[in-house]
Every structure is written in structure tokens, then in C-alpha cells.
Amino acid sequence: MSQRTRGRAAAWLLGAACCFLTASSAQAAGATLNANSTAGKKVSIDGWLKEWGSFTKLSQTISGSAGGDRAAVGIAYDDKALYVAVTIKDSEIVRTPTMGANEDRVEFSIAVPKPGGGYTSYDLWLYSGIPGKSAGAVKLRGGRAVPGAKLVEAATEGGIDIEASIPWSSLPATKKLRVGLHGSVRYVDYAGGKQKAIIGTSDASGGMAMPPLRFENEQGLDKSLLGPKSLGPNPDKAVYGNVSGDSQLEQVALYGGYLTILGAGYRGGKQFFYKDLSVKNASMVPYLELEDLTGDGRAEIVYRKRVGTDSDYREYLEVMSVSAKGEPFVAFEHETGIVTGDGKIQNKVSIKTVGGKKAIVIADDAAEGWDQGSFREAQQSEMGATLLPWDGIAERSFGWDGKQFKQVDEKKGKPRLTSAGSAPKTGGSATTSGPPPPPAPRPPSADELQDQVYALYRKSRKVGKEKPRFDFVTNVYGGPEMERVLVHGLDVVVFGKGYRGGTGFAYITLPAKAAEDIVHVTAKDLTGDGKAEILVRATLKTKTSEEFGGIVVQRHAFLVYEVGAESLTRIFGAETGRTLEDKRVIGSLLFKPLKKGFELQLKAGRVVGWDKASYPFPVETGTAGGLEPLLLPWGSVTQLDYRYEGGAFKRQ
């Protein structure tokens, strides 16, 4: 290195003093290390620090007396290597050809998280050479040279500068993961054969106790989210896996109530994603894991969140997937718990293999404080409601069909009647009035099969030996006797010993094109008359115009049927979602308890793949195709309420 070059480096260092990070930017464990990308720039390891910007001062005296010694570090990176520059003010550099433990050195400690927990540590010791006599080196603690590393030093007035490159290949744990790292830098100073002092960016020398070592996408997250929201530099929860399909693993982490995605390959390593989960803090997200549920090699983000307070909340399971373009979207959601001062119902969530494929299994689990008569909490409809112990459903399984998650299995169970009053009462639930609710749907007994009436239906509708897709009994009409409700193809059929004298049946054909478009059928007393109505979720398919290429549009409908003396009558119908290829609108439908029956509430939900400008359909406020409108976040109406009046649910 020429004398002219050394002089320029010394002059640059004098001007760079103002770029040191101040102590106010340090966390309790020391200063965060920011690494800047050099992508697209030529990096020369020559001891001249012309490429470097801001440096972080080694401001903490860890042992001894620092005296007049000063040091600062800069860190950079590209896709091949990690670069370190250190400027040291030390009038006497202690160095021997052996580069052992009892001489001056820079120690750079890095901790890389392991996807399964724990971390991998690297302790790099950087020794300057003796200008004109011997070369410098980068070694691991213990003395082994780091393969491929390069170090060059330059003498300065009253000290020395070090510039080093460390190939990522020499840090094997970073081959797949370059996010969530922690690090610290120390300068160990010897004089007269004894250790004089150790100064550093942190008094922590290893593991995840060290401050973060942040790359540019992590720095962007700090500026955009962590700083403005006063969130700490370390995530409350973090998991690692391949969610975007690139060669690197991503970090999926919770900072407070925000879910984040970061990775060296995610969006080119320059961008990040965060989502407000609408929870008060990370304690309201009791579960966060990664699991490939679609079989495409990319992991889905699976989490449960609790919306409300610590003692009064709704729990939801959400599955977030990342598209091939790096755009996260919620691919599945289901309510899994209801907790108030009056009671608690909690479903169990697991991942199992159903039909040779992975499936999300939601099962009836813990319950206390409510029975069927006293339970009056609002229930979800479109996203799937919490399984109630008296519903007689042991578990439901949902699997990926190539486009979306659908129910693939359901196991019946014996209805459980919990003991009302076993949970503390703090108010909040509506009081029950009117007739008692009908029994929850359950499989028919041998006495309730009514083979002759069923055979009459089969013959008249030419059903043959086909099995019904849905089959249960509950009280939908007349006296206390149970009626059997079943679905054959598109027919909803009702018969029973107390219905039409026990010798006849009634049916209605649902407005779908194929049997597989009937997603779910159950029963619930929505009107408050003590008799259950039949609730249907169906997919109505229509083709778009030639302008849109004749693509099939799926309208997701919620239909309610009341059983009369001779027939079934539809008393409510609403569009609760719409799908066009990979774009979706997911509305919200709630059952809100009244003193007698329920109020139905439609609300604008989420939109995936469209915005106000690109949405290709008109914004509807009135009925369309016989259904109440699908509400949109940008529409003039974002909520509609309906109550049962005069034989139908009417808009309020």
C-alpha cells in the first residue's frame, strides 16, 4: 500500500468521526450492528476504507482501562461475503508471527439462529499484520484459519485500520439463513505481556444475548415499524422456514401484535412484510409455526390469535400463504375459541394426514360454564365457527384442493352437555327467553330412520342407492318429535314421525349446479321459535362475459330455510364471498344473539388480489341474483343487519 493511500485513509477517518453511532442508539446489552449492502458495488479489500459509511463505536469498557485507546467498526455484505472494517487508535500494536491469544486482536462474534431452536456461534479473531513484514489473518477461536478470508491492514496516525472479507461459505449456518443474527465486536488490547483492556459494542460476548446484527431489510423494518411503534429490536416469537420458495429460509416473527416476514431472498432481501394482527401484544398469539400444508414446497404460516382482553376474547386460527410473487395472503381461517366471564369453549387444533395429504384438524375440546340453553354468544358463519360441545361434532378436517382449503372430513361425536355455572359469572351474556332451543343436529337413531318414507323419496326422485352427503336429526317443525334432514345431490329433504303424519316428506332443490357445490348443511334456531332452521353454505358458479375470457366466478352463498307444513321456504340468502381464479373477497357473517333468536350481520371483510381500482364487478348495495349483497371495504355500505320479521329476515 502506498504512502499516499495511507494518508488519504487517515484523512477520511478524521472526517468519519461524526458518523459514529452514539450511545443513545444502543440497547441495554450494547449497540445494534447495522450491515449495509454493497450489491452492485465493487469491494476492494485494500485497507483503504473508502467504501465505508457510518461506523459503530466500541463504546463499552468490558475490562481493564481503555485509556486513550479507541476503536470503531463498520460491517457490509453482498451475496458472497461479509465485510468488516475496523479503525483502531492504539499507539502500540502487540503482534507476533504466531498470532496467539496474548496479543492485540479484534473479536467478531456472530450467533445464527437454528430453525429448530438454539443457535450456531462463530467467534472470529481478526489479527492485523505487521506492515511490510507479515500478513494479517482471520481465525476462529482456537487458532484455525477461516477458509477464503482475506484481511489487509493500513497504518494510520496513532493506530491501524483493518479491512477483511469473510466468505459466507466459511460460516455454514448462514448458507440458508441470513436473518435474525446477533453479533458483537470487541478490541482486545495487550501491553507489556498483559491484557490491558477490552472494549466492545456490547458486554455480551456470545449467543442471542448479543444485540442484533441487522441487514438492510431488518433496518428498514426498524425504521418503518419497530421504531415508530416503540417495539424492541428482538422479536417476541420467531420461527424459521422456507415460506417464499427461494434458496434461503425466512424469519417469521412477532413484534408485539405485528407479524413480520424477513429473509435474504425474500423480495430480493431488500423488502419486508408486516401485518397488524389486531391483538394487544404477542401474548395473545399463543401459537406460531410453519408447515407446508399445500404440498408446494413452501411452508404456510400457521398461527392462533386471541382478539379481545386476557379474560374475554375470541380465538381464531389463521393460515397465511405466500404467493409465487412474494405476496402473503390469508388462505384459511376458522374460529377456535370463545372465552368470557360466563364460560369458555376451546377447540383443539392439529395437523394430521387425511386421505394421504396434510390437513388442518379442528376438534371439540375444553368447555365449561355454558350449556346449550344458556349459550347466547354471537357465532361466526362464513369462516367457520367454534365447534360447540352439544353440536355432536368431534372434529372437522380441512385440506388444500389445489386452489383453496376445503372441508375434507367430519367425524361425529356424542353431544356433551356442559355444566352451566361452573365458570365465574361476571356478566355480559344475553338472557334466554322464549321456548328452549331445539336439540343440536345429530345422526338419526334406528327408530328415526323411517325407511318407508325414505324409500318413497328415493323412488320419486330416482335417487337409487346413493348415500346422502349430509344426514342429521333435530326439531325443525311441529311438536317435540325429531325430524330427519338429509341432502341428496341438490335436494334438502325433511321427514319424520311427527311431520306430515309420518307418511310424507318435503324437499327443496338448492340453487347450485352440482352436489359438490354444497359446502355444508346444518341446523340452528335463528328465529327464536324453538324450531331449527336449515342453514346451507353453497358455491354458486357462473361464467364471466367474453370480455373476461369466460372464466368461472364462484359466488359463496349462505342460505337459510324454514320448514313449513308442506314445504321448505328460503327466509334469507346472502353472498358472503366471491372467487375469480386466485383473487378473492371474503366477507363476514355473524349471528348476534337477541332475547329471542339471532340478528344476522353482514360486514365487509378481506380482499385478496384486488383493490378498489382493479375490482372488475359493480359494487352492489341491493339484492343481486336473489342474494343480499357482498359488502366491500371500499363500498358506501360496509355493514348490514337483518332481523326476522313477517316470515323472513329483513334489513334493518
Side-chain angles (χ1 to χ4, degrees):
M1 170 174 267
S2 68
Q3 188 64 40
R4 179 177 63 85
T5 300
R6 293 177 184 171
R8 291 177 64 185
W12 181 89
L13 284 170
L14 291 174
C18 64
C19 296
F20 288 162
L21 295 180
T22 64
S24 62
S25 66
Q27 301 298 320
T32 294
L33 295 176
N34 289 329
N36 298 316
S37 173
T38 63
K41 302 175 185 178
K42 184 179 179 180
V43 179
S44 299
I45 304 302
D46 54 13
W48 181 23
L49 310 184
K50 61 183 182 298
E51 299 97 347
W52 298 89
S54 60
F55 276 53
T56 300
K57 191 173 182 180
L58 279 61
S59 60
Q60 293 199 21
T61 300
I62 299 168
S63 69
S65 174
D69 297 337
R70 296 290 185 270
V73 62
I75 300 173
Y77 67 97
D78 58 21
D79 60 352
K80 295 181 180 180
L82 187 65
Y83 303 101
V84 184
V86 185
T87 177
I88 303 165
K89 296 297 183 183
D90 186 350
S91 58
E92 182 184 0
I93 303 296
V94 177
R95 175 67 65 251
T96 71
T98 61
M99 297 183 182
N102 297 323
E103 47 194 293
D104 292 353
R105 63 182 176 272
V106 174
E107 296 182 353
F108 183 16
S109 295
I110 303 172
V112 184
K114 292 181 179 180
Y119 57 88
T120 300
S121 292
Y122 296 101
D123 291 311
L124 306 170
W125 288 9
L126 284 63
Y127 293 92
S128 67
I130 301 174
K133 295 184 180 180
S134 63
V138 179
K139 296 186 176 184
L140 293 170
R141 181 190 293 270
R144 184 167 60 89
V146 174
K150 181 180 179 182
L151 183 147
V152 175
E153 72 287 328
T156 64
E157 185 178 351
I160 197 165
D161 292 345
I162 295 174
E163 192 173 28
S165 65
I166 303 161
W168 289 117
S169 59
S170 66
L171 309 174
T174 66
K175 181 179 180 180
K176 289 286 187 180
L177 185 62
R178 296 177 198 167
V179 64
L181 278 62
H182 288 238
S184 66
V185 175
R186 295 171 300 282
Y187 177 58
V188 182
D189 181 27
Y190 275 80
K194 296 182 179 180
Q195 188 184 98
K196 179 181 178 183
I198 301 177
I199 58 174
T201 59
S202 170
D203 56 7
S205 60
M208 307 307 279
M210 296 184 295
L213 168 57
R214 299 186 305 195
F215 300 98
E216 284 197 349
N217 52 358
E218 295 171 287
Q219 296 172 48
L221 182 70
D222 180 64
K223 292 177 182 177
S224 299
L225 176 67
L226 306 185
K229 299 294 183 181
S230 299
L231 300 169
N234 297 318
D236 295 290
K237 298 178 183 179
V239 290
Y240 300 87
N242 190 348
V243 302
S244 67
D246 56 31
S247 61
Q248 289 277 319
L249 302 181
E250 283 74 44
Q251 173 187 271
V252 178
L254 279 171
Y255 292 87
Y258 294 87
L259 182 76
T260 65
I261 304 175
L262 284 160
Y266 179 65
R267 296 180 176 179
K270 297 179 180 180
Q271 298 180 346
F272 53 87
F273 168 85
Y274 73 84
K275 173 185 173 65
D276 185 352
L277 297 183
S278 300
V279 298
K280 67 174 187 175
N281 55 43
S283 70
M284 300 297 276
V285 184
Y287 181 88
L288 173 65
E289 290 295 340
L290 303 181
E291 186 82 35
D292 181 7
L293 298 175
T294 63
D296 64 356
R298 298 197 303 263
E300 275 64 53
I301 304 167
V302 185
Y303 56 90
R304 299 203 314 266
K305 66 176 186 178
R306 294 172 176 175
V307 179
T309 66
D310 291 335
S311 59
D312 196 328
Y313 60 83
R314 294 292 181 109
E315 183 176 278
Y316 302 95
L317 170 73
E318 290 188 355
V319 176
M320 182 180 290
S321 189
V322 178
S323 73
K325 296 180 180 179
E327 298 298 327
F329 63 94
V330 176
F332 178 76
E333 54 189 342
H334 198 293
E335 187 182 70
T336 56
I338 304 172
V339 175
T340 76
D342 291 329
K344 169 185 176 181
I345 296 176
Q346 187 73 56
N347 292 167
K348 181 180 179 181
V349 179
S350 59
I351 308 296
K352 297 181 180 179
T353 299
V354 178
K357 295 182 179 180
K358 287 185 179 180
I360 305 161
V361 181
I362 298 174
D364 177 29
D365 193 22
E368 60 182 46
W370 283 304
D371 59 20
Q372 187 180 1
S374 64
F375 182 77
R376 302 290 291 172
E377 296 297 315
Q379 289 181 270
Q380 287 282 351
S381 172
E382 186 58 26
M383 74 162 59
T386 301
L387 301 184
L388 304 177
W390 45 83
D391 281 348
I393 299 171
E395 63 180 41
R396 285 186 179 139
S397 301
F398 301 86
W400 184 253
D401 70 353
K403 294 183 178 180
Q404 59 186 330
F405 284 95
K406 283 189 174 181
Q407 184 173 319
V408 294
D409 192 24
E410 179 175 287
K411 293 183 179 179
K412 302 293 184 181
K414 185 177 181 181
R416 295 186 297 120
L417 298 181
T418 61
S419 176
S422 61
K425 298 286 184 178
T426 59
S429 294
T431 57
T432 305
S433 65
R442 61 169 175 79
S445 66
D447 190 46
E448 293 163 337
L449 291 176
Q450 282 200 277
D451 294 340
Q452 289 184 331
V453 179
Y454 191 13
L456 179 64
Y457 162 76
R458 284 182 176 275
K459 182 178 180 180
S460 66
R461 295 292 291 167
K462 299 179 181 179
V463 170
K465 296 183 179 180
E466 174 189 334
K467 291 184 177 181
R469 292 188 65 233
F470 301 93
D471 188 358
F472 56 83
V473 297
T474 188
N475 189 351
V476 298
Y477 180 80
E481 299 90 351
M482 299 294 102
E483 283 75 42
R484 187 176 179 187
V485 180
L486 48 81
V487 178
H488 268 291
L490 296 176
D491 287 354
V492 179
V493 190
V494 177
F495 58 88
K497 287 187 174 183
Y499 186 67
R500 302 189 68 178
T503 60
F505 62 87
Y507 78 92
I508 193 167
T509 302
L510 298 171
K513 292 186 180 296
E516 59 266 23
D517 296 334
I518 309 305
V519 179
H520 191 67
V521 180
T522 188
K524 185 179 184 68
D525 180 14
L526 297 181
T527 64
D529 64 354
K531 309 299 173 185
E533 283 69 52
I534 299 171
L535 282 52
V536 178
R537 287 197 294 125
T539 301
L540 311 182
K541 298 176 180 178
T542 57
K543 281 190 176 182
T544 62
S545 63
E546 293 183 2
E547 178 185 359
F548 293 104
I551 303 171
V552 174
V553 178
Q554 299 181 38
R555 300 175 70 201
H556 307 291
F558 175 74
L559 310 169
V560 180
Y561 293 90
E562 187 175 55
V563 179
E566 301 289 332
S567 62
L568 282 72
T569 304
R570 194 169 89 185
I571 60 174
F572 182 74
E575 184 177 1
T576 58
R578 189 174 297 185
T579 301
L580 179 62
E581 293 186 316
D582 60 347
K583 300 178 178 64
R584 298 181 297 157
V585 179
I586 306 168
S588 176
L589 172 62
L590 289 172
F591 302 150
K592 300 193 71 177
L594 303 170
K595 288 186 177 180
K596 184 178 180 182
F598 290 84
E599 178 181 79
L600 306 183
Q601 185 180 84
L602 293 175
K603 299 182 72 173
R606 296 184 293 103
V607 181
V608 178
W610 284 308
D611 56 22
K612 183 177 180 180
S614 63
Y615 188 66
F617 306 103
V619 179
E620 297 151 350
T621 56
T623 57
L627 300 176
E628 292 298 312
L630 175 63
L631 302 183
L632 300 166
W634 52 78
S636 59
V637 177
T638 57
Q639 178 176 314
L640 290 172
D641 300 311
Y642 302 83
R643 292 194 181 187
Y644 185 72
E645 298 173 358
F649 278 90
K650 296 180 180 179
R651 192 181 298 187
Q652 300 300 297

